[in-house]
Amino acid sequence: MTMKLTKLQIYYIAKVCHEAIRAWFLANYDASERHWHDAETWERESMIKYVEFRLRNPDACVETLHYAWTKDKLDSGWRVGRKDFEMKTHPCLIPFSELPEFQKTKYVLFSAIVDAIK
């Protein structure tokens, strides 16, 4: 049984997910993720949105999480390209199967953190 979480609890789970993913990226020589407190509002809101998505869809596979993220980005005008928030380009707007392994692991890490609160 999943407990009912407050908005504040979801916020903190999103913050932990963000910082864990940032640390994972750094461990893989990718310093492109900003600290939570330096992230744009839309970046924090996006992480909160996907925590809520995971809570609503606890059995969703990592491919489903990536598909939902990709669809949201493409629907918002993003396109494939070098990571550039201003230009709305991101290299991960590709099928899950084509992602580098460390990017795939990001979804596993995210899911494990959110699932740990059940």
Side-chain angles (χ1 to χ4, degrees):
M1 181 168 100
T2 303
M3 61 185 197
K4 176 74 173 147
L5 299 172
T6 66
K7 289 286 185 188
L8 184 60
Q9 288 171 310
I10 291 170
Y11 172 89
Y12 283 123
I13 294 165
K15 182 178 179 181
V16 168
C17 288
H18 178 89
E19 289 299 329
I21 290 168
R22 192 179 76 75
W24 175 246
F25 277 33
L26 287 170
N28 285 276
Y29 308 104
D30 181 339
S32 64
E33 292 294 315
R34 306 175 225 195
H35 282 279
W36 178 261
H37 63 270
D38 293 330
E40 298 289 333
T41 300
W42 66 265
E43 292 175 90
R44 291 189 302 268
E45 289 172 351
S46 179
M47 186 61 73
I48 290 166
K49 177 180 180 175
Y50 288 103
V51 167
E52 292 171 336
F53 178 89
R54 180 68 183 176
L55 291 169
R56 284 190 314 275
N57 301 281
D59 296 325
C61 64
V62 291
E63 291 92 343
T64 300
L65 293 170
H66 177 69
Y67 174 78
W69 175 84
T70 300
K71 183 178 180 331
D72 282 348
K73 289 287 186 228
L74 294 173
D75 289 350
S76 298
W78 286 68
R79 62 189 192 288
V80 177
R82 185 180 61 80
K83 189 185 249 185
D84 187 320
F85 296 127
E86 290 180 21
M87 297 297 296
K88 290 183 136 181
T89 56
H90 201 291
C92 293
L93 291 170
I94 57 177
F96 184 83
S97 62
E98 296 175 21
L99 289 173
E101 283 303 314
F102 93 94
Q103 288 286 350
K104 291 178 183 179
T105 302
K106 164 184 73 177
Y107 290 101
V108 175
L109 179 60
F110 169 84
S111 296
I113 292 168
V114 176
D115 293 351
I117 58 100
K118 294 180 194 169

